[in-house]
Amino acid sequence: MSSCMTPNQPDPWDELLLSFKRNDPGANRRVFDFYHKSLFNFALKITGSREDAQDIVQDTFIKLIEGRSRMDDIENLGGLLFTMTRNAAINYVQRDKKKHSARSISDDIPTHDENILEKEMYRAWLLGEMHKEIELLPVEERAVMKLLLQRKSPAEIAVLLGRSPQTVRNQKTSAINKLKGRLPKDGFLWILLLLSIIKD
């Protein structure tokens, strides 16, 4: 549970899944807005085509909505979406061999246990989790982290937010410590991702 929430407060992302299952107003758009970018980049990695990746992701969301009534046992919406996108993208490349004749699908998507596709899916999932947790940070720290993700330095952020550079650095440190505390045990890649985009 997020440290930004009280013990009796539900996880907003669990609430989003429940809201989607119930077909609440606005739930479809919230799910699309949250997952679209990561799924698009994931599909693009497989197909090599922005247009095809966009079509695949749109089709994935349509299928998700159409299958809403059969989602009672689904607990991980992100995992379901990445699996659907992966399968659709692989099927697309396999069907369209002429368009992709310059590269072999077996070269890009090995079948052994440590295949590149699974690593890309995991990386995309970590990125999505990072953005999800940033949204749960206190307002001041959330603003700092979003600007850091845009590759702004603490000095630049201080000017944009009207804070002192030291205040920004303190808020950055506090936010990163909170995000690290929410990592899964095997989430060291998430830490590397955070540190790689933050300037001193």
Short mmCIF file of all heavy atoms in Angstrom, two decimals, residues 36-37 39-41 43-58 92 99-100 103:
data_model
loop_
_atom_site.label_atom_id
_atom_site.label_comp_id
_atom_site.label_asym_id
_atom_site.label_seq_id
_atom_site.Cartn_x
_atom_site.Cartn_y
_atom_site.Cartn_z
N HIS A 36 -1.80 3.74 -22.44
CA HIS A 36 -1.59 3.86 -23.89
C HIS A 36 -0.13 4.02 -24.28
O HIS A 36 0.37 3.33 -25.16
CB HIS A 36 -2.41 5.03 -24.45
CG HIS A 36 -2.16 5.28 -25.90
ND1 HIS A 36 -1.21 6.17 -26.35
CD2 HIS A 36 -2.69 4.71 -27.01
CE1 HIS A 36 -1.19 6.16 -27.68
NE2 HIS A 36 -2.07 5.29 -28.10
N LYS A 37 0.59 4.94 -23.63
CA LYS A 37 1.97 5.23 -24.04
C LYS A 37 2.87 4.01 -23.89
O LYS A 37 3.65 3.69 -24.80
CB LYS A 37 2.52 6.40 -23.23
CG LYS A 37 3.91 6.84 -23.69
CD LYS A 37 4.36 8.09 -22.96
CE LYS A 37 5.72 8.54 -23.46
NZ LYS A 37 6.17 9.79 -22.78
N LEU A 39 2.01 0.82 -23.78
CA LEU A 39 1.62 -0.23 -24.71
C LEU A 39 2.05 0.12 -26.13
O LEU A 39 2.48 -0.76 -26.90
CB LEU A 39 0.10 -0.43 -24.66
CG LEU A 39 -0.45 -1.01 -23.36
CD1 LEU A 39 -1.97 -1.05 -23.41
CD2 LEU A 39 0.10 -2.41 -23.09
N PHE A 40 1.94 1.39 -26.49
CA PHE A 40 2.36 1.82 -27.83
C PHE A 40 3.86 1.57 -28.03
O PHE A 40 4.29 1.01 -29.05
CB PHE A 40 2.04 3.29 -28.04
CG PHE A 40 2.64 3.86 -29.30
CD1 PHE A 40 2.07 3.61 -30.54
CD2 PHE A 40 3.80 4.62 -29.24
CE1 PHE A 40 2.64 4.11 -31.70
CE2 PHE A 40 4.38 5.12 -30.41
CZ PHE A 40 3.79 4.86 -31.63
N ASN A 41 4.67 1.98 -27.06
CA ASN A 41 6.11 1.77 -27.17
C ASN A 41 6.46 0.29 -27.22
O ASN A 41 7.39 -0.13 -27.92
CB ASN A 41 6.82 2.44 -26.00
CG ASN A 41 6.79 3.96 -26.08
OD1 ASN A 41 6.69 4.53 -27.16
ND2 ASN A 41 6.85 4.62 -24.94
N ALA A 43 4.47 -2.18 -28.41
CA ALA A 43 4.09 -2.69 -29.73
C ALA A 43 5.03 -2.19 -30.81
O ALA A 43 5.36 -2.91 -31.75
CB ALA A 43 2.65 -2.27 -30.06
N LEU A 44 5.49 -0.95 -30.67
CA LEU A 44 6.44 -0.39 -31.63
C LEU A 44 7.75 -1.17 -31.62
O LEU A 44 8.36 -1.39 -32.68
CB LEU A 44 6.70 1.08 -31.29
CG LEU A 44 7.71 1.83 -32.16
CD1 LEU A 44 7.25 1.86 -33.62
CD2 LEU A 44 7.90 3.25 -31.63
N LYS A 45 8.18 -1.60 -30.44
CA LYS A 45 9.42 -2.38 -30.34
C LYS A 45 9.31 -3.68 -31.12
O LYS A 45 10.28 -4.15 -31.72
CB LYS A 45 9.69 -2.68 -28.86
CG LYS A 45 11.04 -3.29 -28.58
CD LYS A 45 12.13 -2.25 -28.68
CE LYS A 45 13.48 -2.80 -28.29
NZ LYS A 45 14.54 -1.78 -28.35
N ILE A 46 8.12 -4.26 -31.17
CA ILE A 46 7.92 -5.54 -31.85
C ILE A 46 7.72 -5.35 -33.35
O ILE A 46 8.32 -6.05 -34.17
CB ILE A 46 6.72 -6.29 -31.25
CG1 ILE A 46 6.96 -6.57 -29.77
CG2 ILE A 46 6.47 -7.61 -32.00
CD1 ILE A 46 5.76 -7.13 -29.04
N THR A 47 6.88 -4.39 -33.73
CA THR A 47 6.51 -4.23 -35.14
C THR A 47 7.47 -3.34 -35.92
O THR A 47 7.60 -3.49 -37.14
CB THR A 47 5.10 -3.63 -35.27
OG1 THR A 47 5.10 -2.28 -34.72
CG2 THR A 47 4.09 -4.47 -34.51
N GLY A 48 8.11 -2.39 -35.26
CA GLY A 48 8.97 -1.45 -35.96
C GLY A 48 8.21 -0.40 -36.74
O GLY A 48 8.80 0.36 -37.50
N SER A 49 6.90 -0.32 -36.55
CA SER A 49 6.07 0.63 -37.30
C SER A 49 5.17 1.38 -36.34
O SER A 49 4.38 0.76 -35.60
CB SER A 49 5.21 -0.11 -38.33
OG SER A 49 4.17 0.73 -38.83
N ARG A 50 5.26 2.70 -36.35
CA ARG A 50 4.42 3.51 -35.47
C ARG A 50 2.94 3.35 -35.82
O ARG A 50 2.09 3.24 -34.93
CB ARG A 50 4.82 4.99 -35.56
CG ARG A 50 6.25 5.28 -35.09
CD ARG A 50 6.54 6.77 -35.13
NE ARG A 50 5.74 7.50 -34.17
CZ ARG A 50 6.07 7.66 -32.88
NH1 ARG A 50 7.19 7.14 -32.42
NH2 ARG A 50 5.29 8.35 -32.08
N GLU A 51 2.64 3.34 -37.10
CA GLU A 51 1.25 3.21 -37.53
C GLU A 51 0.67 1.86 -37.12
O GLU A 51 -0.45 1.79 -36.60
CB GLU A 51 1.14 3.38 -39.05
CG GLU A 51 -0.27 3.29 -39.59
CD GLU A 51 -0.34 3.49 -41.09
OE1 GLU A 51 0.69 3.89 -41.69
OE2 GLU A 51 -1.41 3.26 -41.67
N ASP A 52 1.44 0.81 -37.33
CA ASP A 52 0.96 -0.53 -36.96
C ASP A 52 0.83 -0.65 -35.44
O ASP A 52 -0.13 -1.26 -34.94
CB ASP A 52 1.92 -1.59 -37.48
CG ASP A 52 1.98 -1.61 -39.00
OD1 ASP A 52 0.99 -1.18 -39.63
OD2 ASP A 52 3.01 -2.04 -39.55
N ALA A 53 1.78 -0.09 -34.71
CA ALA A 53 1.72 -0.15 -33.25
C ALA A 53 0.47 0.56 -32.73
O ALA A 53 -0.21 0.08 -31.82
CB ALA A 53 2.97 0.47 -32.64
N GLN A 54 0.17 1.72 -33.33
CA GLN A 54 -1.01 2.46 -32.91
C GLN A 54 -2.28 1.66 -33.17
O GLN A 54 -3.18 1.59 -32.33
CB GLN A 54 -1.08 3.80 -33.65
CG GLN A 54 -2.20 4.72 -33.19
CD GLN A 54 -2.03 5.17 -31.76
OE1 GLN A 54 -0.93 5.43 -31.31
NE2 GLN A 54 -3.12 5.25 -31.02
N ASP A 55 -2.36 1.03 -34.34
CA ASP A 55 -3.53 0.21 -34.68
C ASP A 55 -3.68 -0.96 -33.71
O ASP A 55 -4.80 -1.30 -33.28
CB ASP A 55 -3.42 -0.32 -36.11
CG ASP A 55 -3.59 0.77 -37.16
OD1 ASP A 55 -4.10 1.86 -36.81
OD2 ASP A 55 -3.20 0.53 -38.32
N ILE A 56 -2.57 -1.58 -33.39
CA ILE A 56 -2.59 -2.74 -32.49
C ILE A 56 -3.08 -2.34 -31.11
O ILE A 56 -3.91 -3.03 -30.50
CB ILE A 56 -1.19 -3.38 -32.41
CG1 ILE A 56 -0.90 -4.14 -33.71
CG2 ILE A 56 -1.08 -4.31 -31.20
CD1 ILE A 56 0.55 -4.57 -33.85
N VAL A 57 -2.60 -1.22 -30.61
CA VAL A 57 -3.01 -0.78 -29.27
C VAL A 57 -4.49 -0.40 -29.26
O VAL A 57 -5.22 -0.74 -28.32
CB VAL A 57 -2.13 0.40 -28.80
CG1 VAL A 57 -2.68 0.99 -27.50
CG2 VAL A 57 -0.70 -0.05 -28.61
N GLN A 58 -4.95 0.27 -30.30
CA GLN A 58 -6.36 0.62 -30.38
C GLN A 58 -7.23 -0.63 -30.42
O GLN A 58 -8.26 -0.71 -29.72
CB GLN A 58 -6.63 1.50 -31.60
CG GLN A 58 -6.08 2.91 -31.47
CD GLN A 58 -6.30 3.76 -32.70
OE1 GLN A 58 -6.74 3.27 -33.73
NE2 GLN A 58 -6.01 5.04 -32.60
N TYR A 92 0.67 -10.04 -35.80
CA TYR A 92 0.74 -9.11 -36.92
C TYR A 92 2.02 -9.32 -37.73
O TYR A 92 2.00 -9.41 -38.96
CB TYR A 92 0.67 -7.66 -36.42
CG TYR A 92 0.93 -6.67 -37.53
CD1 TYR A 92 -0.09 -6.29 -38.39
CD2 TYR A 92 2.20 -6.15 -37.75
CE1 TYR A 92 0.15 -5.42 -39.43
CE2 TYR A 92 2.45 -5.27 -38.78
CZ TYR A 92 1.42 -4.91 -39.62
OH TYR A 92 1.66 -4.05 -40.64
N LYS A 99 6.10 -7.44 -45.48
CA LYS A 99 6.42 -6.11 -44.96
C LYS A 99 7.63 -6.15 -44.04
O LYS A 99 8.41 -5.21 -43.96
CB LYS A 99 5.21 -5.54 -44.21
CG LYS A 99 5.39 -4.11 -43.74
CD LYS A 99 4.10 -3.60 -43.16
CE LYS A 99 4.23 -2.15 -42.73
NZ LYS A 99 2.97 -1.62 -42.16
N HIS A 100 7.78 -7.28 -43.36
CA HIS A 100 8.87 -7.41 -42.40
C HIS A 100 9.93 -8.39 -42.87
O HIS A 100 10.64 -8.97 -42.08
CB HIS A 100 8.30 -7.88 -41.05
CG HIS A 100 7.35 -6.90 -40.44
ND1 HIS A 100 7.76 -5.87 -39.63
CD2 HIS A 100 6.01 -6.78 -40.55
CE1 HIS A 100 6.71 -5.17 -39.25
NE2 HIS A 100 5.64 -5.69 -39.79
N ARG A 103 13.71 -8.42 -41.65
CA ARG A 103 14.16 -8.91 -40.36
C ARG A 103 13.35 -10.13 -39.98
O ARG A 103 12.18 -10.24 -40.30
CB ARG A 103 14.02 -7.83 -39.28
CG ARG A 103 12.59 -7.40 -39.00
CD ARG A 103 12.60 -6.17 -38.09
NE ARG A 103 11.23 -5.76 -37.77
CZ ARG A 103 10.64 -6.06 -36.64
NH1 ARG A 103 11.26 -6.79 -35.74
NH2 ARG A 103 9.40 -5.66 -36.40
#
